[in-house]
Amino acid sequence: GQQVMQIPQYQHVQEGEDFTTYCNSSTTLSNIQWYKQRPGGHPVFLIQLVKSGEVKKQKRLTFQFGEAKKNSSLHITATQTTDVGTYFCAPRGGNKLTFGTGTQLKVEL
Amino acid sequence: KAGVTQTPRYLIKTRGQQVTLSCSPISGHRSVSWYQQTPGQGLQFLFEYFSETQRNKGNFPGRFSGRQFSNSRSEMNVSTLELGDSALYLCASSPGDPRDEKLFFGSGTQLSVL
């Protein structure tokens, strides 16, 4: 079955530093979604990537989908305290949406 | 538009009991998915319902079951509760259209099994 690895598990940065989380799948994906969960909250949809090599930007967030559609990344430029939370990738393989293990981001002033 | 509503917000049960959780999706959404979230295992997919039919199922034992009603509201049932069932249970709705697959999550039901 599909295996999804997300790294790193934790990331502690100083405000203003950049942050990247990576999602790797053992199988080719139909598409991949990204979600953010604030502490004590529920996952909130950020973006969906569908095409091979696709790059999408949302303000300071940059999302990439690998050429082989087996991996993806989320990069945050100049982190702010509002970026705190856990970021999940959610690849779709076949009919199932599977969540990665998540990367917990902490931002220090 | 109202968001996804889950009830109850918190629940405490003892081993061996059963529990039913409820989820009301966003109006017009026909797909409801359930996830179990624990610190150690992350977000684990339980099942998805679409138009009252189970469309997908995760790798959970038969003690976990669900259903969806004609108004798209969904319930999840766990029988013979075990300590390991303690978790946050999240419900998510989506239109069910392959062109719009993003999930909208509810605030979850925090289940504690003693």
Side-chain angles (χ1 to χ4, degrees), chain B residues 63 103 105:
Chain B
R63 301 185 297 107
L103 301 179
F105 282 86

Side-chain angles (χ1 to χ4, degrees), chain B residues 6-113:
Chain B
Q6 287 189 248
T7 56
R9 186 72 179 90
Y10 301 95
L11 208 47
I12 299 175
K13 292 284 187 180
T14 55
R15 279 183 302 173
Q17 287 188 310
Q18 75 158 17
V19 67
T20 299
L21 312 181
S22 180
C23 173
S24 293
I26 290 173
S27 177
H29 284 191
R30 297 166 66 190
S31 169
V32 173
S33 300
W34 289 89
Y35 290 85
Q36 181 195 66
Q37 185 171 33
T38 57
Q41 296 295 318
L43 274 159
Q44 301 287 313
F45 173 74
L46 283 153
F47 26 66
E48 179 202 3
Y49 286 86
F50 178 82
S51 293
E52 301 179 68
T53 301
Q54 189 179 83
R55 188 156 73 168
N56 281 301
K57 188 176 185 305
N59 298 321
F60 277 79
R63 301 185 297 107
F64 292 81
S65 63
R67 58 178 176 169
Q68 187 180 33
F69 302 95
S70 57
N71 61 359
S72 292
R73 190 178 71 85
S74 177
E75 285 182 349
M76 191 193 105
N77 185 277
V78 188
S79 62
T80 321
L81 283 166
E82 300 177 359
L83 295 178
D85 296 333
S86 294
L88 178 66
Y89 290 87
L90 290 160
C91 161
S93 78
S94 71
D97 184 338
R99 296 166 296 181
D100 185 5
E101 298 176 314
K102 63 185 176 192
L103 301 179
F104 295 83
F105 282 86
S107 298
T109 294
Q110 184 69 54
L111 172 65
S112 298
V113 182

Side-chain angles (χ1 to χ4, degrees), chain A residues 8-106:
Chain A
Q9 191 174 0
Y10 302 99
Q11 187 78 57
H12 207 153
V13 300
Q14 297 286 321
E15 190 177 42
E17 291 183 335
D18 291 356
F19 158 77
T20 305
T21 173
Y22 300 90
C23 184
N24 299 302
S25 170
S26 57
T27 57
T28 302
L29 305 170
S30 305
N31 60 54
I32 190 164
Q33 297 178 1
W34 285 89
Y35 290 78
K36 176 185 177 182
Q37 185 173 22
R38 293 181 186 273
H42 55 270
V44 174
F45 175 84
L46 293 175
I47 209 153
Q48 175 169 292
L49 304 171
V50 179
K51 299 176 184 175
S52 167
E54 189 170 15
V55 178
K56 286 189 177 180
K57 291 192 177 185
Q58 288 180 350
K59 296 183 181 177
R60 295 178 294 104
L61 277 60
T62 302
F63 303 84
Q64 292 190 338
F65 202 7
E67 293 289 343
K69 298 184 76 172
K70 286 188 174 183
N71 55 69
S72 180
S73 65
L74 157 59
H75 179 82
I76 302 179
T77 304
T79 54
Q80 300 175 358
T81 53
T82 52
D83 296 324
V84 164
T86 301
Y87 292 84
F88 293 95
C89 64
R92 184 177 289 276
N95 292 322
K96 236 180 246 189
L97 193 68
T98 306
F99 278 76
T101 48
T103 296
Q104 187 177 345
L105 173 64
K106 293 190 176 180

